[in-house]
Amino acid sequence: MESDIHTRIWEEIGKAKSCLVVSHVRPDGDAVGALLAMGLGLKTLGKQVQMVLCDGVPGSFKHLEGAADVRNKAQGEFDLVISVDASDLRRIGAALDGYRKPDINIDHHVTNDGFGRINHIQPKAVATSEILAEHLGHWGMQITPGMANALITGILADTLGFRTSNMKPQTLRTAADLMEKGADLPEQYAHALLRRPFTAARYWGQGLSSLQKRDRLVWATLTLADRATCSYPGSDDADLINVISSIDDFDIAMIFVEQKNGTVKVSWRSIPGLDVSRVALGFGGGGHPAAAGADIPGTMQDIKEKVLETTYNMWVSWQGSGQS
Ligand SMILES: [Mn+2]
């Protein structure tokens, strides 16, 4: 079964002359890393490649090889459409407007609904970039230094620098392998996880001043007004969720980010054993057991109330099930 899927992917890539590679809205390091590695890899095979992220490449990843070639919209016709790191079609956003569903769907989200014609989903992988690092060779692509930098970026981003509870020895071996293929680990670590724009640090300040708790749940909010106050250009949380989830003595951390389109972007982080992807799925989102998210239509106050209640009830029932 495993080798069968590799053969199918290898055959599809072999047949195609032109390829469209897409990933999800508000791309993170894994989305960008996997997209670039796949795109650059296909180019080494002489394919015509278009890489599309409807929200573009975030500033912290613009230095990666191929980042300047990423477009906001696809144009033209393609023999093969490949999606990386997106758990469902909606997550791809406008990048596929006017195009068919992906032929190949490569992802590691446990909530991936198998929207591709060929679906290669590995929920145990720490990142889609890890899947690609292990398998691009099986699909006929040699990893260049540019691809290695992209892939190590994806692994670092999704493991927060090898710190998440799903880390396995094999991930470190894969990272070591990528270093041998030319990845600059300290450099990519700094870009993906450490460096922040001044506006992001001020934005964190706004969020941190809203910090609240109930039992072992902690959360913060970021409003459109907060964003305007510190001129933060993004529509995300500037990774503030990672700061909040490092606070001692909490089981679940949440952040609520008000969006211009009348939705609230909610992110959850939880300790091992507590599956917040189920709550996210209930609100139309998805993700991983320990890190999930959802874009929910409604006002900040409404969404906050509903999400806090549902999450709190899940936490209470988890407590009751004796898993703590
Ligand atoms: Mn990922």
Side-chain angles (χ1 to χ4, degrees), residues 24 28-31 85-86 107-109 126-129 154 158 288:
H24 58 77
D28 51 25
D30 190 27
D85 200 47
D107 187 29
H108 69 125
H109 292 92
V126 298
T128 301
S129 295
D158 269 17
H288 310 288

Coordinates of all heavy atoms in Angstrom, one line a residue, residues 24 28-31 85-86 107-109 126-129 154 158 288, ligand 1:
H24 N -1.7 26.3 2.1 CA -2.9 26.9 2.7 C -2.8 28.4 2.9 O -1.8 29.0 2.8 CB -3.2 26.2 4.0 CG -2.1 26.1 5.0 ND1 -1.7 27.2 5.8 CD2 -1.3 25.1 5.4 CE1 -0.8 26.9 6.6 NE2 -0.4 25.6 6.4
D28 N 2.3 29.1 7.1 CA 3.3 29.0 8.1 C 4.6 28.5 7.5 O 4.6 28.2 6.3 CB 2.8 28.1 9.3 CG 2.3 26.8 8.8 OD1 2.8 26.3 7.7 OD2 1.5 26.1 9.5
G29 N 5.6 28.2 8.3 CA 6.9 27.8 7.8 C 6.8 26.4 7.1 O 7.5 26.2 6.1
D30 N 5.9 25.6 7.6 CA 5.8 24.2 6.9 C 5.1 24.4 5.6 O 5.5 23.7 4.6 CB 5.0 23.3 7.8 CG 5.1 21.9 7.3 OD1 6.1 21.5 6.6 OD2 4.1 21.1 7.6
A31 N 4.1 25.2 5.5 CA 3.4 25.4 4.2 C 4.4 26.0 3.2 O 4.5 25.5 2.1 CB 2.2 26.4 4.4
D85 N 0.4 20.3 2.8 CA 0.2 20.9 4.1 C -1.2 21.5 4.3 O -1.4 22.2 5.3 CB 1.3 21.9 4.5 CG 1.3 22.1 6.0 OD1 1.3 21.1 6.8 OD2 1.4 23.2 6.5
A86 N -2.2 21.2 3.4 CA -3.5 21.8 3.6 C -4.5 20.6 4.0 O -4.5 19.6 3.3 CB -4.0 22.4 2.3
D107 N 0.0 15.6 3.1 CA -0.3 16.4 4.3 C 0.0 15.5 5.5 O 0.1 14.3 5.4 CB -1.7 16.8 4.3 CG -2.0 17.8 5.5 OD1 -1.1 18.4 6.0 OD2 -3.2 17.8 5.9
H108 N 0.1 16.1 6.7 CA 0.3 15.4 7.9 C -0.8 15.7 9.0 O -0.7 15.3 10.1 CB 1.7 15.7 8.5 CG 1.8 17.1 9.0 ND1 2.2 17.4 10.3 CD2 1.6 18.3 8.4 CE1 2.3 18.7 10.5 NE2 1.9 19.3 9.3
H109 N -1.9 16.5 8.6 CA -2.9 16.8 9.5 C -3.8 15.6 9.7 O -4.3 15.0 8.8 CB -3.7 18.0 9.0 CG -3.0 19.3 9.0 ND1 -2.3 19.7 7.9 CD2 -2.8 20.2 10.0 CE1 -1.7 20.9 8.2 NE2 -2.0 21.2 9.5
V126 N 5.8 15.0 11.7 CA 5.8 16.2 12.5 C 5.5 17.4 11.6 O 5.0 18.4 12.0 CB 7.1 16.5 13.2 CG1 7.3 15.4 14.3 CG2 8.3 16.6 12.3
A127 N 5.7 17.2 10.3 CA 5.5 18.3 9.3 C 5.4 17.7 7.9 O 5.9 16.6 7.7 CB 6.7 19.3 9.3
T128 N 4.7 18.4 7.0 CA 4.6 18.0 5.6 C 6.0 18.0 5.1 O 6.4 17.1 4.2 CB 3.6 18.9 4.8 OG1 2.3 18.8 5.5 CG2 3.5 18.4 3.4
S129 N 6.8 18.9 5.5 CA 8.2 19.0 5.0 C 9.0 17.8 5.4 O 9.9 17.4 4.7 CB 8.9 20.2 5.6 OG 8.3 21.4 5.1
G154 N 10.5 24.0 7.4 CA 9.2 23.5 7.7 C 9.2 22.6 8.9 O 8.2 22.7 9.8
D158 N 7.0 23.6 12.4 CA 6.0 22.8 13.0 C 6.3 22.1 14.3 O 5.5 21.8 15.1 CB 5.5 21.8 12.0 CG 4.3 22.3 11.1 OD1 4.2 23.6 11.1 OD2 3.6 21.5 10.5
H288 N -4.1 19.5 14.6 CA -3.4 18.3 15.2 C -4.0 18.2 16.6 O -4.5 19.2 17.2 CB -1.9 18.6 15.3 CG -1.3 19.0 14.0 ND1 -1.1 18.1 12.9 CD2 -0.9 20.2 13.5 CE1 -0.6 18.7 11.9 NE2 -0.4 20.0 12.2
Ligands
MN1 MN 2.3 21.5 8.7

